[in-house]
Amino acid sequence: MKNDKNKLKNQYRVNEQIHIREVRVVSDAGSEVMPTRKALEMARQEGVDLVEISPNAQPPVCRLIDYSKFLYQQKKHQKEMKQKQVKVEIKEIRFGPQTDEHDYQFKLKHAQEFLSEGNKVRAYVFFRGRSILFKEQGEVLLLRFANDLEEYGKVEQMPKLEGKKMFLYLSPKKAGQAKKSQQKRDREAAEAEAKAAAKVEKDENAENNGLLANAKGGDALKALVENNED
Protein backbone atom coordinates (compact mmCIF):
# COMPACT_ATOMS: atom_id res chain seq x y z
CA MET A 1 0.00 0.00 0.00
CA LYS A 2 2.83 2.36 0.94
CA ASN A 3 4.62 1.57 -2.32
CA ASP A 4 1.46 2.46 -4.28
CA LYS A 5 1.28 5.83 -2.52
CA ASN A 6 4.95 6.58 -3.26
CA LYS A 7 4.42 5.55 -6.88
CA LEU A 8 1.55 8.03 -7.19
CA LYS A 9 3.67 10.80 -5.65
CA ASN A 10 6.47 10.17 -8.11
CA GLN A 11 4.05 10.10 -11.02
CA TYR A 12 3.10 13.78 -10.83
CA ARG A 13 5.13 16.98 -10.61
CA VAL A 14 3.83 19.63 -8.26
CA ASN A 15 4.51 23.33 -7.64
CA GLU A 16 8.25 24.20 -8.01
CA GLN A 17 8.92 20.79 -9.59
CA ILE A 18 7.22 22.12 -12.75
CA HIS A 19 10.00 23.84 -14.73
CA ILE A 20 8.22 24.38 -18.08
CA ARG A 21 7.71 28.05 -19.11
CA GLU A 22 3.92 27.94 -19.51
CA VAL A 23 1.10 25.54 -18.68
CA ARG A 24 -2.60 25.07 -19.39
CA VAL A 25 -4.59 25.37 -16.17
CA VAL A 26 -7.93 23.53 -16.24
CA SER A 27 -10.82 24.08 -13.86
CA ASP A 28 -14.60 23.76 -13.76
CA ALA A 29 -14.80 27.14 -15.49
CA GLY A 30 -12.68 26.00 -18.44
CA SER A 31 -8.97 26.16 -19.29
CA GLU A 32 -6.39 28.87 -19.84
CA VAL A 33 -2.77 28.88 -21.04
CA MET A 34 -0.58 31.06 -18.80
CA PRO A 35 3.01 31.43 -17.59
CA THR A 36 3.90 28.85 -14.95
CA ARG A 37 4.86 31.62 -12.52
CA LYS A 38 1.34 33.07 -12.76
CA ALA A 39 -0.20 29.62 -12.20
CA LEU A 40 1.97 29.11 -9.11
CA GLU A 41 0.91 32.51 -7.77
CA MET A 42 -2.76 31.63 -8.29
CA ALA A 43 -2.23 28.36 -6.40
CA ARG A 44 -0.63 30.20 -3.46
CA GLN A 45 -3.47 32.72 -3.36
CA GLU A 46 -6.07 29.97 -3.25
CA GLY A 47 -4.12 27.91 -0.71
CA VAL A 48 -3.81 24.88 -3.00
CA ASP A 49 -1.13 23.25 -5.19
CA LEU A 50 -0.33 23.39 -8.88
CA VAL A 51 -0.38 19.73 -10.02
CA GLU A 52 0.79 18.63 -13.48
CA ILE A 53 -1.69 15.98 -14.66
CA SER A 54 -0.77 15.69 -18.37
CA PRO A 55 2.98 16.30 -18.83
CA ASN A 56 3.03 15.21 -22.50
CA ALA A 57 0.43 17.72 -23.65
CA GLN A 58 1.52 20.92 -25.40
CA PRO A 59 1.62 22.86 -23.14
CA PRO A 60 1.42 20.51 -20.11
CA VAL A 61 -1.96 20.47 -18.36
CA CYS A 62 -2.17 21.39 -14.66
CA ARG A 63 -4.86 21.66 -12.00
CA LEU A 64 -5.18 23.89 -8.98
CA ILE A 65 -5.99 21.44 -6.21
CA ASP A 66 -4.83 20.30 -2.78
CA TYR A 67 -2.16 17.72 -3.58
CA SER A 68 -3.15 15.35 -0.74
CA LYS A 69 -6.76 15.46 -1.90
CA PHE A 70 -5.63 14.83 -5.49
CA LEU A 71 -3.61 11.75 -4.45
CA TYR A 72 -6.59 10.43 -2.48
CA GLN A 73 -8.86 10.82 -5.52
CA GLN A 74 -6.36 9.02 -7.77
CA LYS A 75 -5.91 6.21 -5.26
CA LYS A 76 -9.69 5.80 -4.91
CA HIS A 77 -10.09 5.73 -8.69
CA GLN A 78 -7.43 3.02 -9.09
CA LYS A 79 -9.09 0.94 -6.37
CA GLU A 80 -12.47 1.18 -8.12
CA MET A 81 -10.88 0.15 -11.42
CA LYS A 82 -9.30 -2.91 -9.80
CA GLN A 83 -12.63 -3.93 -8.29
CA LYS A 84 -14.28 -3.70 -11.70
CA GLN A 85 -11.69 -5.94 -13.29
CA VAL A 86 -12.97 -9.51 -13.44
CA LYS A 87 -10.37 -12.19 -12.99
CA VAL A 88 -10.80 -14.63 -15.86
CA GLU A 89 -9.51 -18.15 -15.38
CA ILE A 90 -9.04 -20.84 -18.01
CA LYS A 91 -10.71 -24.10 -17.02
CA GLU A 92 -9.66 -27.33 -18.73
CA ILE A 93 -11.96 -30.12 -19.87
CA ARG A 94 -10.28 -33.32 -21.04
CA PHE A 95 -11.79 -35.94 -23.33
CA GLY A 96 -10.66 -39.22 -24.80
CA PRO A 97 -11.35 -39.88 -28.50
CA GLN A 98 -14.05 -42.39 -27.51
CA THR A 99 -15.70 -40.66 -24.55
CA ASP A 100 -19.02 -42.28 -23.61
CA GLU A 101 -22.27 -40.30 -23.41
CA HIS A 102 -22.48 -40.26 -19.60
CA ASP A 103 -18.96 -38.82 -19.26
CA TYR A 104 -19.67 -36.33 -22.04
CA GLN A 105 -22.81 -35.00 -20.32
CA PHE A 106 -20.95 -34.77 -16.99
CA LYS A 107 -18.20 -32.64 -18.54
CA LEU A 108 -20.69 -30.58 -20.53
CA LYS A 109 -22.43 -29.61 -17.28
CA HIS A 110 -19.11 -28.50 -15.74
CA ALA A 111 -18.26 -26.43 -18.83
CA GLN A 112 -21.65 -24.70 -18.61
CA GLU A 113 -20.90 -23.76 -14.99
CA PHE A 114 -17.40 -22.49 -15.86
CA LEU A 115 -18.68 -20.27 -18.68
CA SER A 116 -21.63 -19.01 -16.59
CA GLU A 117 -19.11 -17.89 -13.93
CA GLY A 118 -17.21 -15.87 -16.54
CA ASN A 119 -14.30 -18.27 -17.05
CA LYS A 120 -12.83 -19.44 -20.33
CA VAL A 121 -12.83 -23.13 -21.25
CA ARG A 122 -10.04 -25.05 -22.96
CA ALA A 123 -11.41 -28.40 -24.02
CA TYR A 124 -9.11 -30.97 -25.56
CA VAL A 125 -9.03 -34.55 -26.75
CA PHE A 126 -5.92 -36.49 -25.74
CA PHE A 127 -4.79 -39.13 -28.20
CA ARG A 128 -2.79 -41.89 -26.53
CA GLY A 129 -0.65 -44.15 -28.75
CA ARG A 130 -2.52 -45.45 -31.78
CA SER A 131 -5.68 -43.56 -30.83
CA ILE A 132 -4.31 -40.70 -32.98
CA LEU A 133 -5.99 -42.62 -35.82
CA PHE A 134 -9.31 -41.37 -34.39
CA LYS A 135 -8.46 -37.67 -34.70
CA GLU A 136 -11.49 -37.06 -36.96
CA GLN A 137 -13.68 -38.58 -34.24
CA GLY A 138 -12.08 -36.25 -31.71
CA GLU A 139 -12.77 -33.24 -33.92
CA VAL A 140 -16.44 -34.22 -34.25
CA LEU A 141 -16.68 -34.52 -30.46
CA LEU A 142 -15.23 -31.03 -29.91
CA LEU A 143 -17.50 -29.50 -32.54
CA ARG A 144 -20.51 -31.09 -30.83
CA PHE A 145 -19.21 -29.73 -27.52
CA ALA A 146 -19.01 -26.20 -28.96
CA ASN A 147 -22.52 -26.46 -30.40
CA ASP A 148 -24.00 -27.70 -27.11
CA LEU A 149 -22.38 -24.73 -25.33
CA GLU A 150 -23.54 -22.12 -27.85
CA GLU A 151 -25.93 -20.67 -25.26
CA TYR A 152 -23.08 -20.12 -22.78
CA GLY A 153 -19.93 -19.32 -24.77
CA LYS A 154 -18.47 -18.47 -28.14
CA VAL A 155 -15.65 -20.22 -29.98
CA GLU A 156 -12.28 -18.47 -29.79
CA GLN A 157 -10.40 -21.20 -31.64
CA MET A 158 -11.82 -24.10 -33.63
CA PRO A 159 -10.47 -27.62 -32.96
CA LYS A 160 -6.74 -27.66 -33.71
CA LEU A 161 -4.31 -30.57 -33.34
CA GLU A 162 -1.15 -29.76 -31.38
CA GLY A 163 1.03 -32.82 -30.86
CA LYS A 164 -1.12 -35.50 -29.25
CA LYS A 165 -3.85 -33.06 -28.20
CA MET A 166 -6.63 -31.38 -30.14
CA PHE A 167 -7.71 -28.10 -28.52
CA LEU A 168 -10.92 -26.08 -28.61
CA TYR A 169 -11.08 -22.66 -26.90
CA LEU A 170 -14.33 -21.09 -25.68
CA SER A 171 -14.91 -17.71 -24.02
CA PRO A 172 -18.00 -16.76 -21.98
CA LYS A 173 -20.76 -14.73 -23.50
CA LYS A 174 -21.53 -11.41 -21.85
CA ALA A 175 -24.49 -11.19 -19.52
CA GLY A 176 -27.71 -10.83 -21.46
CA GLN A 177 -26.03 -12.03 -24.65
CA ALA A 178 -26.65 -15.74 -24.22
CA LYS A 179 -28.84 -17.26 -26.93
CA LYS A 180 -30.32 -20.70 -27.18
CA SER A 181 -28.62 -23.02 -29.63
CA GLN A 182 -30.58 -24.10 -32.70
CA GLN A 183 -30.46 -27.67 -31.41
CA LYS A 184 -32.07 -26.62 -28.12
CA ARG A 185 -34.70 -24.49 -29.89
CA ASP A 186 -35.62 -27.44 -32.14
CA ARG A 187 -35.81 -29.78 -29.14
CA GLU A 188 -38.04 -27.38 -27.18
CA ALA A 189 -40.30 -26.88 -30.20
CA ALA A 190 -40.61 -30.67 -30.66
CA GLU A 191 -41.42 -31.13 -26.97
CA ALA A 192 -44.09 -28.41 -27.09
CA GLU A 193 -45.62 -29.96 -30.22
CA ALA A 194 -45.66 -33.41 -28.61
CA LYS A 195 -47.36 -32.03 -25.47
CA ALA A 196 -49.99 -30.27 -27.59
CA ALA A 197 -50.68 -33.44 -29.57
CA ALA A 198 -50.93 -35.49 -26.38
CA LYS A 199 -53.45 -33.01 -24.94
CA VAL A 200 -55.59 -33.15 -28.07
CA GLU A 201 -55.52 -36.95 -28.00
CA LYS A 202 -56.44 -36.97 -24.31
CA ASP A 203 -59.38 -34.61 -24.90
CA GLU A 204 -60.60 -36.71 -27.84
CA ASN A 205 -60.37 -39.91 -25.79
CA ALA A 206 -62.29 -38.27 -22.94
CA GLU A 207 -64.97 -37.10 -25.35
CA ASN A 208 -65.25 -40.55 -27.00
CA ASN A 209 -65.42 -42.26 -23.62
CA GLY A 210 -68.20 -39.89 -22.61
CA LEU A 211 -70.18 -40.59 -25.78
CA LEU A 212 -69.66 -44.32 -25.36
CA ALA A 213 -70.83 -44.14 -21.76
CA ASN A 214 -73.90 -42.19 -22.81
CA ALA A 215 -74.64 -44.69 -25.57
CA LYS A 216 -74.34 -47.64 -23.19
CA GLY A 217 -76.56 -45.85 -20.68
CA GLY A 218 -79.16 -45.24 -23.36
CA ASP A 219 -79.17 -48.90 -24.41
CA ALA A 220 -79.54 -50.02 -20.81
CA LEU A 221 -82.45 -47.61 -20.27
CA LYS A 222 -84.14 -48.81 -23.48
CA ALA A 223 -83.80 -52.45 -22.40
CA LEU A 224 -85.26 -51.65 -18.98
CA VAL A 225 -88.31 -49.95 -20.55
CA GLU A 226 -88.90 -52.89 -22.89
CA ASN A 227 -88.71 -55.35 -20.00
CA ASN A 228 -91.27 -53.35 -18.02
CA GLU A 229 -93.65 -53.29 -20.98
CA ASP A 230 -93.45 -57.09 -21.19
Side-chain angles (χ1 to χ4, degrees):
M1 192 70 69
K2 190 174 181 180
N3 290 336
D4 291 342
K5 189 174 181 179
N6 290 334
K7 188 176 180 181
L8 275 174
K9 281 188 175 181
N10 296 329
Q11 185 176 348
Y12 301 98
R13 289 185 292 187
V14 59
N15 296 328
E16 282 73 19
Q17 294 175 350
I18 305 171
H19 301 298
I20 197 80
R21 178 180 295 180
E22 62 180 13
V23 294
R24 179 182 296 276
V25 178
V26 294
S27 64
D28 295 338
S31 68
E32 181 183 352
V33 176
M34 65 180 69
T36 305
R37 286 187 300 176
K38 181 180 177 182
L40 287 168
E41 182 61 29
M42 287 176 61
R44 281 192 289 268
Q45 289 176 359
E46 295 182 21
V48 294
D49 300 292
L50 181 67
V51 182
E52 186 183 59
I53 59 175
S54 295
N56 296 324
Q58 295 296 328
V61 178
C62 297
R63 283 184 63 189
L64 299 178
I65 188 173
D66 181 271
Y67 190 42
S68 297
K69 181 179 178 181
F70 175 76
L71 289 179
Y72 172 77
Q73 290 176 346
Q74 293 300 109
K75 185 179 175 182
K76 184 179 178 182
H77 177 69
Q78 289 182 2
K79 186 177 180 181
E80 290 174 350
M81 292 299 292
K82 283 184 179 180
Q83 289 176 344
K84 289 180 181 179
Q85 289 177 351
V86 179
K87 186 178 180 182
V88 178
E89 296 183 9
I90 298 179
K91 303 290 187 177
E92 283 197 343
I93 302 287
R94 172 176 169 168
F95 292 102
Q98 295 177 315
T99 300
D100 61 42
E101 184 63 22
H102 176 76
D103 191 32
Y104 175 85
Q105 292 298 332
F106 178 77
K107 292 177 178 178
L108 177 66
K109 183 179 178 181
H110 276 291
Q112 290 171 348
E113 292 174 355
F114 294 150
L115 291 167
S116 297
E117 293 169 356
N119 299 304
K120 292 186 177 184
V121 170
R122 176 169 59 202
Y124 69 93
V125 180
F126 179 68
F127 300 99
R128 189 189 303 274
R130 292 175 61 85
S131 67
I132 193 69
L133 298 173
F134 299 99
K135 62 180 181 180
E136 288 81 8
Q137 190 171 336
E139 183 177 7
V140 170
L141 186 150
L142 290 177
L143 290 173
R144 176 194 173 189
F145 194 62
N147 184 66
D148 288 345
L149 290 169
E150 184 182 2
E151 183 179 346
Y152 300 88
K154 55 186 178 181
V155 176
E156 276 194 350
Q157 177 186 299
M158 295 295 284
K160 182 180 179 182
L161 186 63
E162 298 178 15
K164 292 184 178 181
K165 297 179 181 179
M166 181 176 287
F167 290 95
L168 167 74
Y169 287 86
L170 298 166
S171 61
K173 283 189 173 181
K174 294 181 180 179
Q177 197 179 32
K179 296 180 180 179
K180 294 180 181 179
S181 65
Q182 185 62 47
Q183 183 180 13
K184 187 169 183 178
R185 288 196 295 269
D186 292 344
R187 184 170 64 249
E188 290 179 350
E191 289 174 355
E193 188 175 338
K195 285 182 180 179
K199 187 176 185 304
V200 171
E201 184 178 355
K202 184 178 179 181
D203 292 342
E204 288 179 349
N205 288 337
E207 185 178 352
N208 291 334
N209 290 336
L211 291 173
L212 180 61
N214 290 336
K216 287 181 178 180
D219 292 341
L221 180 61
K222 183 178 179 182
L224 180 62
V225 171
E226 291 175 350
N227 289 336
N228 290 335
E229 289 177 351
D230 294 339

